[in-house]
Amino acid sequence: MSKRTHHGRSILLLSVGHACVDVYQGAVAALVPFFVAERHYGYAAVSGVVLAASLLSSVAQPLFGALTDRRPLPWLLPVSTLLGGVGIALSGVSGSYGLTLAFVALSGVGVAAYHPESARVARLAARRAPGGRGGHRGMAWFSLGGNLGFAAAPLLVAAVVGAGGLRLTPLLVLPALAGTVLCLPVLREPERRRAAGAEPPQPSAADDRGSFVKLSLAVVCRSITFVGLSTFLSLFVAQRLGGGAAAGPAGGAAGGTAAGTAALVVLYAGGAVGSVLGGALADRWGRVAVAGWSYLVAAVAVAGVLLVPGPALYLFVALTSAGLYVPFSLQVTLGQDYLPSRIGTASGITLGLTVSIGGLAGPLIGALADATSLRTALLPLVLMPVLSWALFRALPEPVAPESVASESVASARRGEPAQQGEAAQAGA
């Protein structure tokens, strides 16, 4: 097996492992209708469950990212995968609201520990995989795995919990067991390459902290839209298409759980297309431009979800998914290129903190929905992608560190000083 084929195999394994972990991010929202139906939680209560998954994850991901910047921690991949699965598996076995929050929070910590290290390993493999071109497409495939995990979560939860109730949630640990096994072959890849001298020294590059902060704020706005919509979408669609004018969360859940689950699947599954499309479009037009225009599409699509009547809302759910997911993997590599000296921290923030922090808005949306209506509470989400678009307009397209490395090697072969490559990066 050639080295490039081997790196492609590593990306494939990491992508499938990513899917197994992100099942547990998608499972939280997918469990919401069942918590409503069996435990009669209100909007504020179910948004608290989502918050429990997000809060510790939001704090922990940058910490894990900083740790992986200091030294590689490949053992985090199997351990964090198991934690993510065990937390969700136990969330339905107790009727206690406090224990449910604790188990969901445990799953959130597992997810937090997984992403920074997995993104670091995936970027290394992506740069050397066939068609690497800076790692954008490889990272898009890695992100695709997570999106497929999100998309599979409502189906898995509906099949397991829908068949026997919340008492069957322990069966949801199975993807975590599979993901743990899948990540084992790639755990020692970075160390083996360094030991063999396969990792060329990278030229130093200046961190662009200002651009990274703007990028992070854009991802926060994206996160508020995505987490807020995914938390309440199944209930909203159940009311619109299945529950008629039923008041409150219980009425909507009783009337149209299948319709709500279908909408959640569309929201997550569209991300699979969006992630791969984002990598391809970025090779042609650049990451910043592609991400910015995608957010304008998302703003129009979210408005369509909330305002267009009848089954046509499914089309707008699909457009919302594409608009929010096309920038997803691009934002990860942009963050890594804006902070080339702290790739783990950048991954922890763009792939973790700013994604999870959207859950902090959940209780506000839930409280507003309890006081008014679910549609009224969700309408402010239309503005969030517009803010992301505005922030992207202020961002430069960075020169990827591996491009600078290639220039430095070429300069050395011509007998020119390698610092020219570094100067190009600093000027970018």
Side-chain angles (χ1 to χ4, degrees):
M1 182 186 297
S2 70
K3 288 184 178 180
R4 290 178 68 80
T5 302
H6 179 74
H7 296 314
R9 175 176 172 270
S10 295
I11 283 290
L12 176 62
L13 290 174
L14 286 165
S15 298
V16 179
H18 194 189
C20 293
V21 171
D22 276 7
V23 160
Y24 301 110
Q25 292 202 81
V28 177
L31 285 168
V32 162
F34 297 99
F35 286 132
V36 168
E38 290 193 31
R39 300 182 181 176
H40 309 292
Y41 290 169
Y43 289 128
V46 293
S47 62
V49 173
V50 177
L51 175 62
S54 304
L55 189 58
L56 280 178
S57 181
S58 297
V59 175
Q61 293 219 33
L63 298 179
F64 283 112
L67 286 174
T68 60
D69 280 334
R70 295 175 66 89
R71 60 176 300 177
L73 299 172
W75 57 266
L76 275 178
L77 272 63
V79 171
S80 59
T81 300
L82 284 175
L83 281 179
V86 168
I88 293 299
L90 295 177
S91 66
V93 299
S94 170
S96 165
Y97 185 68
L99 283 177
T100 299
L101 296 181
F103 290 137
V104 170
L106 175 66
S107 177
V109 171
V111 170
Y114 175 84
H115 282 100
E117 179 67 6
S118 64
R120 182 186 68 83
V121 175
R123 187 76 188 271
L124 288 173
R127 289 171 178 170
R128 294 163 178 80
R133 295 193 63 178
H136 308 326
R137 293 198 181 188
M139 286 299 291
W141 286 106
F142 173 70
S143 298
L144 169 64
N147 298 336
L148 290 176
F150 259 107
L155 300 175
L156 181 62
V157 169
V160 174
V161 182
L166 290 170
R167 63 184 179 85
L168 292 186
T169 55
L171 294 177
L172 297 177
V173 78
L174 294 177
L177 299 178
T180 300
V181 173
L182 287 170
C183 73
L184 294 178
V186 298
L187 288 186
R188 297 189 59 82
E189 275 306 301
E191 288 73 17
R192 278 200 292 264
R193 285 200 294 272
R194 278 193 294 270
E199 291 291 335
Q202 296 291 327
S204 59
D207 291 339
D208 186 351
R209 294 183 178 86
S211 294
F212 183 78
V213 169
K214 294 174 187 175
L215 172 69
S216 299
L217 291 173
V219 183
V220 166
C221 294
R222 184 253 184 211
S223 176
I224 292 172
T225 304
F226 181 79
V227 178
L229 195 60
S230 62
T231 299
F232 296 105
L233 181 65
S234 59
L235 296 176
F236 179 75
V237 173
Q239 289 181 5
R240 291 279 302 279
L241 302 182
T257 299
T261 298
L264 207 55
V265 171
V266 172
L267 179 66
Y268 293 161
V273 177
S275 290
V276 176
L277 183 63
L281 293 176
D283 283 341
R284 184 180 180 95
W285 286 292
R287 291 169 288 178
V288 171
V290 169
W293 286 108
S294 296
Y295 279 125
L296 283 185
V297 172
V300 174
V302 173
V305 171
L306 300 177
L307 301 175
V308 172
L313 68 83
Y314 285 107
L315 172 62
F316 288 97
V317 171
L319 288 175
T320 297
S321 180
L324 293 177
Y325 269 112
V326 163
F328 189 75
S329 65
L330 307 182
Q331 292 166 161
V332 178
T333 59
L334 279 170
Q336 292 172 337
D337 291 345
Y338 287 141
L339 289 184
S341 69
R342 296 177 177 86
I343 286 180
T345 300
S347 302
I349 293 175
T350 56
L351 195 59
L353 171 64
T354 48
V355 173
S356 302
I357 206 168
L360 301 178
L364 298 177
I365 297 173
L368 183 58
D370 283 332
T372 57
S373 70
L374 191 51
R375 174 185 282 171
T376 300
L378 294 174
L379 277 173
L381 298 182
V382 176
L383 298 177
M384 294 294 105
V386 177
L387 293 177
S388 294
W389 167 78
L391 287 162
F392 262 89
R393 284 179 58 85
L395 289 177
E397 182 72 41
V399 177
E402 58 268 21
S403 300
V404 180
S406 299
E407 182 180 342
S408 298
V409 171
S411 297
R413 289 175 177 172
R414 294 193 301 265
E416 300 171 1
Q419 284 83 358
Q420 288 183 5
E422 299 176 15
Q425 172 69 11

